[in-house]
Amino acid sequence: MYKPTDDRYGRMTYRRCGRSGLKLPAVSLGLWQNFGLEKTLEEQKEIIFCAFDHGVTHFDLANNYGYPAVGLAEENFGKILHTEMKAWRDEMIISTKAGFSMWPGPYGDWGSRKYLTASLDQSLTRMGLDYVDIFYHHRPDPETPLEETMGALSDLVRQGKALYVGLSNYQEPEARKAMEILRRNQTPCLIHQPRYNMLERWVEDGLLEALEEAGSGCIAYSPLAQGTLTDRYLKGIPDGSRASRAGTTIQGRYLSEENLKKVGQLNQIAADRGQSLAQMALLWILRKPQVTSVLVGASSPAQLSDSMDSLKGPEFTYQELEAIEAILGQEQRDGF
């Protein structure tokens, strides 16, 4: 039977999520990749145990996570939780989401009350839980009224199926509207989960400010641009990497010649700082006061440990931030 390390909470930094009473670890574990059939259950246990031993209390899932079948990540996490970690459930923040296609027909996608309610019930069954700590709407629905979607989230909190609610992939204008509805419903938006990394910075153009004004936290997913902001692709696309798999989006989204040139230059700055590129990329996001946590994936305990070592890195100097801005080709932003 697994027993966590006694010093786990001294190995992690915790940040208050917006103006709520909840704190999250600066580094959280996402189960988007590697928690279906890509890894054995024993390998998945090793990653999750390593995370918890290092003070990672937040485990992030969604109804559609798992390969080759949606829902597998929740099923596998539920097995690990109940066979090895049930005694520490109250020390965990477990989140899940709904918003992408899950089952055939008109009720298995987007943001209707019917879909969100059914999806959360299914997620709770797969994980063997009475409630999740955070339930997100995974993406905006262009057809369902926002009042219906946010009303469903609020009601799920009142029913005791979720303690907090969040948004994911909402742009600033729609995020502001959604957060205002949730505030009026007396179930304020705890957190927003956008894609945010050195190569994708749209959140800096209004969303972070909107979250700060609303008192909501921010947790960045894909902070390493699906592995691009590591040393993995500095010499091309290796066999067996995520980018080499058919059907993945990483190559078209990130692996342009221009981006890879930037990655090489960023890697040199990281080396001069005594960090890996991944560690620097994570710390670069965490320097933002509005960011509560970065959400990392992991294919091994060693990879996860490397990510968590980002917290040991030195603060950025003004000169380093200037050099990074010059590489990224972005206009300088006040205070970096």
Side-chain angles (χ1 to χ4, degrees):
M1 180 69 70
Y2 164 72
K3 186 179 185 303
T5 58
D6 292 334
D7 66 342
R8 59 191 179 277
Y9 293 118
R11 304 170 77 177
M12 176 56 64
T13 300
Y14 298 90
R15 298 180 169 199
R16 188 166 301 280
C17 193
R19 291 195 293 269
S20 76
L22 188 70
K23 291 183 178 180
L24 295 180
V27 178
S28 299
L29 180 63
L31 280 70
W32 178 22
Q33 305 282 343
N34 300 309
F35 288 87
L37 297 181
E38 305 99 323
K39 302 282 184 182
T40 66
L41 198 62
E42 288 304 312
E43 290 173 315
Q44 294 176 38
K45 285 181 183 180
E46 289 179 0
I47 295 170
I48 290 173
F49 294 168
C50 175
F52 199 61
D53 283 344
H54 283 80
V56 176
T57 53
H58 181 206
F59 299 90
D60 182 78
L61 299 109
N63 59 358
N64 64 327
Y65 289 176
Y67 176 85
V70 295
L72 275 177
E74 290 182 329
E75 288 182 19
N76 288 338
F77 180 77
K79 290 176 183 176
I80 295 169
L81 175 67
H82 289 283
T83 59
E84 302 280 356
M85 305 180 76
K86 190 173 183 179
W88 297 280
R89 166 63 180 102
D90 289 339
E91 298 182 31
M92 298 179 185
I93 300 296
I94 300 171
S95 63
T96 195
K97 314 175 197 72
F100 285 91
S101 182
M102 273 299 289
W103 61 86
Y107 316 123
D109 202 349
W110 293 106
S112 70
R113 176 181 292 273
K114 168 71 173 176
Y115 168 61
L116 292 178
T117 302
S119 181
L120 182 52
D121 284 344
Q122 291 178 19
S123 292
L124 293 174
T125 297
R126 281 190 289 268
M127 291 187 282
L129 295 175
D130 296 324
Y131 70 94
V132 292
D133 297 281
I134 307 170
F135 185 52
Y136 291 88
H137 187 222
H138 210 164
R139 62 171 173 171
D141 183 343
E143 296 184 350
T144 300
L146 204 53
E147 289 79 6
E148 177 179 341
T149 302
M150 296 304 110
L153 293 180
S154 299
D155 286 346
L156 290 168
V157 170
R158 294 188 180 95
Q159 292 166 18
K161 296 177 181 180
L163 300 186
Y164 302 92
V165 293
L167 307 172
S168 182
N169 296 308
Y170 275 62
Q171 300 287 324
E172 178 204 353
E174 58 202 1
R176 286 185 180 275
K177 293 177 184 176
M179 291 188 294
E180 174 57 24
I181 294 170
L182 289 170
R183 186 192 64 78
R184 293 201 305 265
N185 290 348
Q186 298 184 337
T187 54
C189 177
L190 174 79
I191 196 166
H192 188 293
Q193 187 176 135
R195 187 190 296 267
Y196 181 27
N197 56 64
M198 284 178 149
L199 303 176
E200 290 180 293
R201 301 175 60 182
W202 64 271
V203 303
E204 297 175 14
D205 298 322
L207 180 62
L208 291 179
E209 289 77 7
L211 298 179
E212 187 171 25
E213 291 171 14
S216 299
C218 176
I219 181 167
Y221 80 90
S222 284
L224 300 179
Q226 294 179 255
T228 305
L229 292 166
T230 69
D231 60 5
R232 189 174 306 169
Y233 301 111
L234 292 175
K235 298 180 180 179
I237 300 175
D239 293 337
S241 66
R242 190 188 308 179
S244 68
R245 301 177 198 165
T248 60
T249 61
I250 179 174
Q251 191 163 359
R253 182 184 289 272
Y254 295 119
L255 298 182
S256 66
E257 184 177 343
E258 179 184 1
N259 276 347
L260 290 178
K261 180 180 178 182
K262 293 177 181 179
V263 169
Q265 295 170 325
L266 292 168
N267 188 58
Q268 185 57 56
I269 295 179
D272 292 342
R273 285 170 49 81
Q275 290 183 298
S276 69
L277 175 56
Q279 291 166 355
M280 185 182 80
L282 296 176
L283 195 61
W284 183 86
I285 295 176
L286 286 167
R287 84 196 194 286
K288 287 286 188 180
Q290 302 96 332
V291 174
T292 309
S293 182
V294 289
L295 190 59
V296 302
S299 60
S300 68
Q303 185 185 39
L304 181 60
S305 295
D306 182 76
S307 293
M308 289 185 289
D309 282 345
S310 63
L311 302 176
K312 301 176 183 178
E315 292 186 9
F316 289 98
T317 67
Y318 189 87
Q319 291 75 21
E320 288 171 335
L321 292 172
E322 277 192 320
I324 290 170
E325 291 294 321
I327 292 169
L328 297 179
Q330 299 280 345
E331 292 182 3
Q332 185 169 314
R333 288 170 167 82
D334 291 342
F336 293 113

